[in-house]
């Protein structure tokens, strides 16, 4: 079976490794250049553990990160770890076509039969029995394959920061009255945090106008435990989030996994886990039907759709702890004038 994976993010790489484990060598096409470095940490949720364990990487990644224990029983619910480290571990042993962007799908009638890639040396065609769009929220594969998808910019956005200083606690969270979060994640490279705010009409300009010093003071009033981590921070950044729901999971010769299929708001903290779970299920399904791509894709959907359905039904708002009542002035960012 010839499998082309479009996108060398966490979902695509877990699929590639899972296929190699099962005797299938896929082609991974990644538009970034080799040597790209992805800064900052990720909070890898427990939903990622099964896929990583199967690849023999969980122990190593856990040792290189920091467990995020739940409040009482001490069992870790997540790992705070560098994104780059996870990507590097996943890339080991894989051949990746770097600097190659998928610009079109090849077709034979209704069936997708490969991809057209564009790189520094021009365009070329890569044939496939299955093309997997693991190409993230703004998936080109999803668009080219004509999968109807609901994409929307979330009504919440984030003002975030990274710090070289560590935090004593592995993870701090504070919920404002409406259930939105302020978080701080410790990891071996320092700490990183953010404030989830109502998306301001004026976007980044409005959210960042009061300046980093004012932001730090306001954040610390709600998260006093973040004082040491925040001390060296001189810069904060603003990020909006696009959420994706896609009802169609596959068509002959093509399917989607990870954020290309279902991008949730990062407030849920489970995006990577869901993507890795998709990848694991698809890898198993492909290995079980090596001669029949459509049977593999149908099996993938049959197993995986019910597993992600509860997360998608509840959405990221399911993690909110809402106290109710009006937002206090100190819970608003940017501050009321
Ligand atoms: C701000 C933010 C914070 C997050 N925090 C967390 C967190 O703490 N915990 C968590 O579990 N999840 C988190 N997530 C989600 C998590 O990052 C993703 O679920 C995870 O990285 C898996 O994504 P993916 O592999 O599906 O897509 P991506 O990581 O987006 O990878 C897609 C890849 O496809 C490549 N690509 C795109 N188009 C093409 C093309 N045409 N041709 C070739 N290559 C292409 C891209 O370069 C990229 O490498 C967060 C997301 C955001 C936006």
């Amino acid at each position: 079976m010839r499998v082309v994976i479009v996108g060398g993010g966490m979902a695509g790489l877990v699929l590639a490794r899972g296929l190699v484990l099962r005797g299938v060598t896929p082609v991974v096409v990644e538009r970034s250049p080799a040597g790209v470095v992805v800064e900052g940490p990720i909070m890898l949720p427990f939903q990622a553990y099964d896929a990583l364990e199967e690849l023999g990487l969980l122990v190593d990644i856990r040792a290189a990160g920091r467990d995020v224990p739940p409040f009482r029983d001490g069992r870790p619910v997540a790992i705070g770890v560098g994104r780059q480290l996870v990507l590097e571990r996943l890339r080991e042993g894989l051949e990746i076509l770097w600097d190659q962007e998928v610009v079109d799908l090849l077709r034979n009638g209704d069936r997708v039969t490969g991809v057209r890639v564009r790189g520094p040396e021009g365009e070329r065609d890569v044939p496939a029995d299955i093309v997997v769009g693991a190409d993230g929220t703004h998936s080109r594969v999803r668009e080219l394959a004509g999968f109807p998808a609901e994409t929307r910019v979330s009504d919440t956005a984030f003002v975030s920061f990274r710090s070289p200083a560590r935090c004593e606690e592995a993870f701090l969270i504070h919920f404002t009255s409406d259930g939105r979060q302020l978080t701080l994640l410790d990891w071996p490279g320092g700490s990183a945090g953010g404030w989830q705010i109502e998306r301001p009409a004026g976007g980044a300009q409005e959210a960042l106008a009061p300046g980093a010093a004012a932001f730090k003071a306001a954040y610390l009033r709600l998260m006093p435990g973040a004082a040491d981590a925040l001390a060296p921070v001189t810069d904060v950044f603003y990020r909006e989030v696009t959420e994706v729901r896609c009802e169609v999971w596959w068509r002959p010769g093509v399917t989607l996994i990870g954020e290309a299929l279902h991008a949730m708001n990062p407030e849920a903290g489970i995006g990577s886990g869901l993507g890795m779970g998709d990848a694991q299920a698809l890898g198993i399904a492909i290995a079980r039907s090596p001669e029949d791509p459509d049977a593999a894709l149908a099996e993938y959907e049959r197993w995986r759709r019910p597993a992600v359905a509860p997360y998608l039904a509840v959405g990221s708002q399911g993690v909110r702890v809402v106290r109710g009542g009006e937002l206090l002035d100190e819970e608003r960012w940017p501050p009321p004038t």
Side-chain angles (χ1 to χ4, degrees):
M1 176 93 77
R2 298 165 306 170
V3 182
V4 169
I5 301 170
V6 184
M10 289 184 197
L13 293 173
V14 166
L15 173 61
R17 290 289 297 266
L19 286 172
V20 169
L21 198 67
R22 296 179 168 84
V24 178
T25 304
V27 175
V28 181
V29 183
E30 170 54 51
R31 71 177 169 192
S32 304
V36 63
V37 173
V38 184
E39 305 280 354
I42 186 164
M43 193 162 104
L44 275 184
F46 68 85
Q47 290 90 345
Y49 293 1
D50 196 33
L52 292 174
E53 191 159 35
E54 185 185 57
L55 300 176
L57 295 175
L58 182 61
V59 171
D60 186 25
I61 288 175
R62 209 176 146 191
R66 180 169 180 191
D67 282 349
V68 177
F71 295 115
R72 290 186 184 84
D73 78 355
R75 268 162 50 91
V77 292
I79 305 163
V81 62
R83 278 182 182 263
Q84 181 66 14
L85 182 137
V86 177
L87 290 167
E88 278 171 11
R89 293 291 187 279
L90 288 169
R91 286 175 196 151
E92 278 164 16
L94 292 177
E95 264 194 50
I96 298 174
L97 302 182
W98 294 102
D99 219 349
Q100 303 285 322
E101 178 168 17
V102 167
V103 293
D104 210 350
L105 297 178
L106 312 179
R107 285 192 170 79
N108 181 0
D110 287 344
R111 175 167 295 281
V112 169
T113 56
V115 294
R116 177 158 300 154
V117 298
R118 184 181 296 151
E121 269 110 55
E123 291 190 358
R124 68 191 171 105
D125 292 348
V126 185
D129 300 304
I130 294 180
V131 172
V132 181
D135 50 346
T137 306
H138 303 285
S139 170
R140 193 76 196 276
V141 172
R142 188 179 67 225
E143 181 198 325
L144 291 167
F147 286 25
E150 190 191 320
T151 63
R152 67 172 203 108
V153 179
S154 169
D155 57 4
T156 72
F158 292 83
V159 179
S160 304
F161 58 87
R162 290 195 199 114
S163 171
R166 304 282 308 258
C167 175
E168 205 175 307
E169 299 288 334
F171 184 65
L172 292 176
I173 189 162
H174 173 88
F175 292 100
T176 51
S177 305
D178 61 359
R180 293 196 173 96
Q181 324 171 341
L182 286 80
T183 55
L184 182 72
L185 177 69
D186 179 71
W187 66 295
S191 54
W195 186 339
Q196 184 190 21
I197 61 173
E198 191 173 333
R199 178 162 55 88
Q205 211 180 358
E206 186 177 339
L208 301 179
F215 176 84
K216 284 170 60 171
Y219 182 93
L220 281 178
R221 268 197 293 277
L222 299 173
M223 289 272 276
D228 289 347
L230 210 57
V233 171
T234 54
D235 207 17
V236 295
F237 54 96
Y238 173 80
R239 189 157 26 201
E240 295 183 352
V241 178
T242 301
E243 297 176 11
V244 176
R245 295 283 182 280
C246 190
E247 268 306 300
V248 176
W249 279 54
W250 67 278
R251 286 192 169 145
V254 60
T255 191
L256 303 171
I257 61 172
E259 305 261 294
L261 181 65
H262 44 63
M264 293 183 73
N265 194 303
E267 102 179 270
I270 55 171
S272 66
L274 294 192
M276 290 184 192
D278 298 343
Q280 188 183 27
L282 179 57
I284 294 169
I286 290 173
R288 276 167 53 111
S289 298
E291 306 299 329
D292 190 343
D294 293 355
L297 299 186
E299 196 159 47
Y300 159 57
E301 176 177 5
R302 196 161 56 244
W303 290 342
R304 190 61 188 159
R305 188 191 273 275
V308 296
Y311 294 106
L312 301 185
V314 175
S316 55
Q317 296 183 9
V319 303
R320 290 189 182 174
V321 177
V322 181
R323 289 199 301 280
E326 280 297 298
L327 268 186
L328 307 173
D329 277 356
E330 64 261 35
E331 293 178 320
R332 295 179 196 278
W333 186 267
T337 46

